[in-house]
Amino acid sequence: MARKPTQTFTDDERAAMREHAAEVRASASRRGSKADKAAEDLKALLEKIEEMAEADRVMAARVHALILQNAPELAPKLWYGMPAYYKETKSVCFFQPAQKFKTRYATLGFNEDAALDDGDMWPVAYALQELTPAVEQRIGALIRQAAG
């Protein structure tokens, strides 16, 4: 009996990979000073936030502000179609809207270059349902630590 081929990636994952390829091409084609390129990256990130559904958009805008407030050295840039924040050329953290992969919550995620190491095991992603003052305080502390 013939087996059905399995789908390795979901449609949403493939779309994210296409977005990332487009981001890389756009970044490579940008001309001008480093400041001009950074301004274009920020503009693209803010446009992506504006495209989000209202709940994700409000949360992403607040997370963006918290990251800039707590780690202004991190550079805003898109990563797989999501707002991300870079230290030099390494993505440190990102905001994944709930709508992106049709999940019930948004995610604040950290990549391997985030300085969050704590023994042999530590969290690298946090579910976000509401940004209370306590949650915002925790995000600020995580961002400061991650930026190292």
Side-chain angles (χ1 to χ4, degrees):
M1 175 179 260
R3 290 181 53 186
K4 280 186 170 182
T6 58
Q7 188 173 339
T8 305
F9 296 105
T10 67
D11 291 342
D12 292 331
E13 290 167 333
R14 282 195 300 281
M17 287 185 277
R18 284 191 298 275
E19 281 185 281
H20 183 61
E23 293 158 9
V24 170
R25 284 191 303 274
S27 181
S29 69
R30 288 196 178 111
R31 302 289 180 242
S33 69
K34 189 174 182 177
D36 290 341
K37 291 176 184 181
E40 285 296 316
D41 287 337
L42 175 60
K43 180 181 176 209
L45 181 140
L46 294 174
E47 287 172 353
K48 184 59 73 173
I49 289 174
E50 283 302 312
E51 293 172 5
M52 294 177 188
E54 184 178 359
D56 284 333
R57 182 176 58 250
V58 169
M59 193 172 292
R62 186 64 191 131
V63 168
H64 173 71
L66 287 166
I67 291 171
L68 294 182
Q69 176 185 342
N70 286 280
E73 68 274 21
L74 295 182
K77 189 174 177 177
L78 290 176
W79 182 70
Y80 291 90
M82 298 176 286
Y85 301 84
Y86 284 69
K87 186 172 186 177
E88 299 170 10
T89 60
K90 304 290 185 177
S91 173
V92 173
C93 61
F94 61 92
F95 175 83
Q96 179 182 299
Q99 184 181 15
K100 180 88 173 163
F101 296 110
K102 299 169 185 72
T103 59
R104 67 182 179 95
Y105 51 79
T107 303
L108 176 61
F110 294 90
N111 291 318
E112 67 178 328
D113 290 297
L116 295 176
D117 300 37
D118 183 20
D120 292 327
M121 185 175 138
W122 58 91
V124 294
Y126 295 83
L128 300 175
Q129 290 190 307
E130 185 179 352
L131 293 180
T132 65
V135 170
E136 289 186 3
Q137 187 175 23
R138 179 71 176 129
I139 289 171
L142 284 166
I143 294 301
R144 287 188 301 276
Q145 181 181 351

